[in-house]
Amino acid sequence: MEILAPLFLQAGYNTALVTIGAALLGASAGAIGSFVLLRKRALVSDAISHATLPGLALAFIAMVWLTGEGRSLPGLMLGSALTAGLGLLAVDWLTRRTRLAEDAAIGAVLSVFFGFGVVLMTVIQTLNTGEQAGLAGYLLGSTAGMLRSEAELIAVAAGVTGAAIFALRRPFTLVCFDPEYAGGRGYPTGRVDLALMGLLLAVTVIGLKVAGLVLIVALTITPPVTARLWTDRPGQMVVIAALLGAAAAWIGTAISASGEGLPTGALIVLVAFALFVISLLLSPKRGLLAGLIRQRRFQTLVHERQGLLAILRNEPIYDSLTLRRLKARGWLRADGQVTPEGLSAARRAEADAARWQLYRQSHPAEAELLSGRMMEPMARVLPPDLLAELDSRLALAAAKRGEAL
Amino acid sequence: MNPFLQLTLTPMLIGVLAACACALPGNFLLLRRQSLIGDAISHVALPGIVAAYLLTGTLSATAMFLGATGAALLAVALIELVRRLGRVEPGAAMGVVFTTLFALGVLMLEQSASRNLHLDVEHALYGNLESLIWLEGTSWSALLDPAALAGMPPQIFRLALVLAGLALFTVTFWRELMIGTFDPSFAQSIGARPRLFNIALVGLVAIAAVASFDAVGSIIVIAMFICPPAAARLMTDRLSRQIWWSMGFASASAILGYVLAGYGPMWFGSPHSVSAAGMIATVSGVILAGTALFGPRRRQNLAA
């Protein structure tokens, strides 16, 4: 297959370099995106990425004026970083100084900056330099025909950004979870936030050429959201998001290099979404499949418990699933007679049910958290000392009932 | 010959109608902190239109409208699904969904490019306001001539209809919309069905976005959903006044933006005009910046 060559870096030096650069970019974007997601500011990167357009166009115009040639990647990156920074400041200023909420500020900045960028793009079209087509790639991302120097710049810049994120992981984590505590520990919260947004901006600007400014935001959102499905721990989440981002960028770039009409940015985003869907189905913690299995197991346990309690009360059992489970566990013989194991299991079930009821009265909040395991043997769910306490209280209550009689 | 009627009146009018159609529901989105729904919906209109084209093989207005509306509804459902199943904040869920659908649209477009599709991503983003001219408008009397009026771009009638429908909905269900916006739980308790109106509002946003999208491109749609209502919010505390302000700001952005795009470059000695869509968005941003600096209600209500 033609996709295999680029996937395993066998499609020429340039394609391999671009693929590695994209993967490094994906890793940095996933990592910084995780912190931004935890800070609940995921869509800020949408404002940043759209705000790059006027800077891109201005840098192009300036370079054409000065040198006659406008497509130098470092110059375009610098220009887009400038207006993206302005956009970021504008979002911050609107949120802090007026009563507008952050989502409105994000939307206003992204549409206005992008609109002004479009105005400048039409100015460029009238310059007749014949090379404005080079800018179109920045809108939707294109690695086709990328120069070796450009690929090297993207790879190195993405690597440096990743290293900076790694170096700052501790303050980022603290500020994301507990800004006040972080402030108390002596971390300058404002400056840590600034560094977070600065690195997000850097990733966005570096990724423009690969993913395009409309779609780069996906690289900072989708992998972190996917990683969230696999873990509850922030440290792990950042690592998983970086791996997912790198994988999406690697595979997407490889597919894009394998044929015509396969835009890089779109493919990276679609691969990232595919990884999200797979995780949503299969993740052991929050996956749909795992949830379905847990629900089935719980249902089975409820049927077993109800069957055992019915045996103790000498009630007839009609439900076919209950009968099947009791027979499968060896608690009922084929002719419907209760086995000795069945009787002792029924006594245990009755005791567990009583323990659970008492536990729910004495520790309602904890019981709520453990309610998914209420059908399991209590000895497996609760620690031994708590179990002993519950049992002694149940015995006391039983003794009191005996006296009353 | 009358260059104003032929070349300027219809695009300007279409710009004003589109801006008002987006700004009207935008007021409610702003107060409900759902402003970015408009952003998401206008991005997913692209895959909807491409899918409609691939299915029907035509670029008829009906097919495009149905495709874009379907994509918008699909996007809203997917956002809700991702938010619930992935347990993430609405903003992140929106980011996942609209980028994916937009990427799908781009891919479909690139894959079908060989089939001579008169539709490209830039057109979807920037729109084509300048081309919506009225050649029959040779003199002022043409405004009263049915035959000449029929030659107007169809977008003008479509947008007028959509704007009228939106206004009718807003006036008819004013109480429900207002209570549902400011106090959803109270609205629930008195049977004002806030969830139903929330869905209806999103549906109207989709219709406004799709109807404007075809004429003016997605970038103005997003700007008009957010900027005029946001600027109006900094002018007044009353919702009804806010809506009037936003209509005024939207119309001013459209007219000023169109004029500046057409004639502005001439003042700098350039014979070429610039993108009207981009200029309209820019003007709305300048208006917002002005109200953010000087609007009488720009701060939080500290006294209240």
Side-chain angles (χ1 to χ4, degrees):
Chain A
M1 276 210 13
E2 51 193 338
I3 162 83
L4 288 176
L7 199 56
F8 293 107
L9 304 180
Q10 302 300 311
Y13 180 77
N14 261 20
T15 312
L17 200 60
V18 169
T19 311
I20 292 172
L24 282 171
L25 170 78
S28 297
I32 197 73
S34 302
F35 291 114
V36 178
L37 179 71
L38 291 172
R39 201 93 176 85
K40 295 206 190 317
R41 299 184 72 185
L43 282 176
V44 170
S45 53
D46 205 18
I48 294 178
S49 59
H50 282 79
T52 56
L53 188 61
L56 202 66
L58 281 175
F60 184 89
I61 294 171
M63 285 190 291
V64 167
W65 247 345
L66 294 174
T67 67
E69 154 69 49
R71 273 180 299 179
S72 139
L73 182 62
L76 293 175
M77 274 185 172
L78 194 69
S80 48
L82 275 178
T83 49
L86 271 181
L88 191 59
L89 288 179
V91 169
D92 229 40
W93 182 78
L94 277 175
T95 322
R96 223 178 291 183
R97 297 294 300 277
T98 74
R99 59 180 181 178
L100 296 174
E102 188 170 45
D103 68 321
I106 289 173
V109 166
L110 87 82
S111 55
V112 171
F113 275 67
F114 193 80
F116 186 57
V118 169
V119 170
L120 292 173
M121 294 293 269
T122 48
V123 172
I124 289 177
Q125 274 168 13
T126 64
L127 290 180
N128 285 325
T129 58
E131 53 176 42
Q132 58 266 31
L135 282 185
Y138 288 89
L139 224 49
L140 297 170
S142 156
T143 51
M146 195 189 271
L147 300 176
R148 177 175 298 187
S149 61
E150 293 177 335
E152 281 166 357
L153 176 66
I154 289 171
V156 169
V160 170
T161 316
I165 298 166
F166 182 75
L168 291 170
R169 66 195 183 285
R170 272 179 195 291
F172 282 168
T173 314
L174 267 179
V175 168
C176 286
F177 274 94
D178 198 341
E180 282 175 27
Y181 174 73
R185 283 281 302 274
Y187 284 108
T189 319
R191 255 186 287 165
V192 173
D193 243 354
L194 199 68
L196 185 64
M197 288 300 139
L199 284 171
L200 180 65
L201 195 153
V203 165
T204 309
V205 168
I206 297 164
L208 281 185
K209 177 91 182 173
V210 175
L213 63 82
V214 186
L215 290 173
I216 179 78
V217 56
L219 265 183
T220 62
I221 296 183
T222 308
V225 167
T226 311
R228 188 79 187 79
L229 294 168
W230 291 92
T231 179
D232 286 330
R233 295 173 53 184
Q236 289 179 352
M237 180 181 157
V238 174
V239 174
I240 296 175
L243 289 175
L244 287 167
W250 184 294
I251 300 170
T253 312
I255 298 176
S256 167
S258 71
E260 289 290 307
L262 298 168
T264 320
L267 279 160
I268 294 177
V269 174
L270 290 174
V271 173
F273 185 71
L275 292 174
F276 169 76
V277 172
I278 293 170
S279 306
L280 196 59
L281 292 175
L282 298 183
S283 137
K285 266 189 116 61
R286 295 174 160 198
L288 295 182
L289 200 64
L292 214 61
I293 292 171
R294 265 199 303 276
Q295 200 192 342
R296 284 296 301 212
R297 250 185 56 209
F298 186 76
Q299 201 184 6
T300 314
L301 288 172
V302 170
H303 277 270
E304 287 181 12
R305 168 76 56 91
Q306 294 304 325
L308 289 172
L309 293 179
I311 288 173
L312 272 192
R313 292 195 291 264
N314 269 325
E315 287 166 2
I317 300 167
Y318 299 113
D319 185 80
S320 65
L321 175 60
T322 312
L323 286 171
R324 269 208 314 280
R325 288 306 308 166
L326 292 176
K327 283 172 188 163
R329 296 295 294 259
W331 293 333
L332 273 189
R333 286 208 312 248
D335 61 359
Q337 279 297 311
V338 182
T339 63
E341 294 84 22
L343 207 57
S344 59
R347 297 240 163 75
R348 282 199 305 276
E350 189 189 31
D352 272 342
R355 283 161 167 174
W356 179 258
Q357 204 179 0
L358 182 63
Y359 180 61
R360 204 158 56 179
Q361 280 165 11
S362 57
H363 302 77
E366 292 90 332
E368 181 64 41
L369 285 177
L370 287 173
S371 62
R373 305 180 62 188
M374 61 185 277
M375 287 297 149
E376 293 177 33
M378 283 295 116
R380 229 195 286 161
V381 181
L382 298 176
D385 52 336
L386 185 59
L387 213 57
E389 189 199 316
L390 289 175
D391 282 345
S392 68
R393 281 171 60 187
L394 282 170
L396 202 68
K400 267 190 191 152
R401 268 206 305 279
E403 273 170 32
L405 285 173
Chain B
M1 292 298 286
N2 188 326
F4 172 78
L5 279 182
Q6 284 180 310
L7 303 179
T8 309
L9 177 71
T10 43
M12 202 185 259
L13 209 55
I14 287 171
V16 170
L17 288 172
C20 290
C22 293
L24 181 59
N27 280 292
F28 295 101
L29 292 182
L30 180 84
L31 293 168
R32 291 164 184 240
R33 304 205 165 185
Q34 292 178 332
S35 287
L36 290 170
I37 286 261
D39 178 26
I41 285 177
S42 48
H43 275 97
V44 303
L46 175 73
I49 289 173
V50 180
Y53 171 76
L54 292 180
L55 284 175
T56 65
T58 64
L59 275 174
S60 79
T62 326
M64 282 173 66
F65 192 80
L66 288 179
T69 315
L73 297 179
L74 176 73
V76 172
L78 274 178
I79 289 169
E80 193 60 20
L81 204 67
V82 169
R83 193 176 69 79
R84 294 236 175 114
L85 296 178
R87 289 181 225 174
V88 288
E89 44 155 342
M94 216 182 278
V96 171
V97 171
F98 87 73
T99 51
T100 302
L101 289 176
F102 190 81
L104 200 63
V106 171
L107 184 63
M108 288 194 294
L109 206 54
E110 291 283 327
Q111 287 288 311
S112 61
S114 53
R115 280 190 252 165
N116 206 4
L117 181 54
H118 169 67
L119 207 168
D120 54 60
V121 176
E122 290 190 10
H123 174 243
L125 287 171
Y126 312 160
N128 209 1
L129 198 50
E130 293 89 338
S131 71
L132 300 172
I133 51 177
W134 183 35
L135 289 175
E136 287 81 356
T138 43
S139 67
W140 288 99
S141 61
L143 281 173
L144 298 171
D145 176 11
L149 283 175
M152 279 192 164
Q155 284 90 345
I156 211 162
F157 304 111
R158 229 178 289 151
L159 278 168
L161 198 68
V162 166
L163 181 60
L166 283 169
L168 191 69
F169 177 85
T170 310
V171 172
T172 314
F173 298 109
W174 177 255
R175 277 172 50 86
E176 284 87 348
L177 278 170
M178 197 163 73
I179 301 171
T181 299
F182 289 111
D183 197 343
S185 49
F186 175 64
Q188 183 77 52
S189 71
I190 61 164
R193 287 178 292 176
R195 291 191 53 184
L196 178 74
F197 278 94
N198 201 11
I199 295 170
L201 184 63
V202 172
L204 290 177
V205 166
I207 291 172
V210 173
S212 317
F213 177 83
D214 167 42
V216 296
S218 64
I219 198 61
I220 309 196
V221 173
I222 305 171
M224 289 305 133
F225 269 125
I226 300 175
C227 293
R233 170 114 174 91
L234 305 178
M235 297 301 292
T236 172
D237 282 332
R238 289 185 62 95
L239 181 55
S240 49
R241 274 187 214 145
Q242 180 188 318
I243 288 178
W244 284 116
W245 272 111
S246 74
M247 294 295 102
F249 286 149
S251 310
S253 308
I255 294 170
L256 260 176
Y258 191 80
V259 171
L260 281 177
Y263 302 103
M266 281 185 219
W267 304 332
F268 294 100
S270 161
H272 307 283
S273 61
V274 296
S275 159
M279 196 50 103
I280 291 174
T282 308
V283 171
S284 76
V286 172
I287 291 176
L288 175 61
T291 56
L293 284 170
F294 307 111
R297 292 280 181 275
R298 60 186 184 277
R299 311 261 169 176
Q300 303 283 348
N301 284 339
L302 295 176

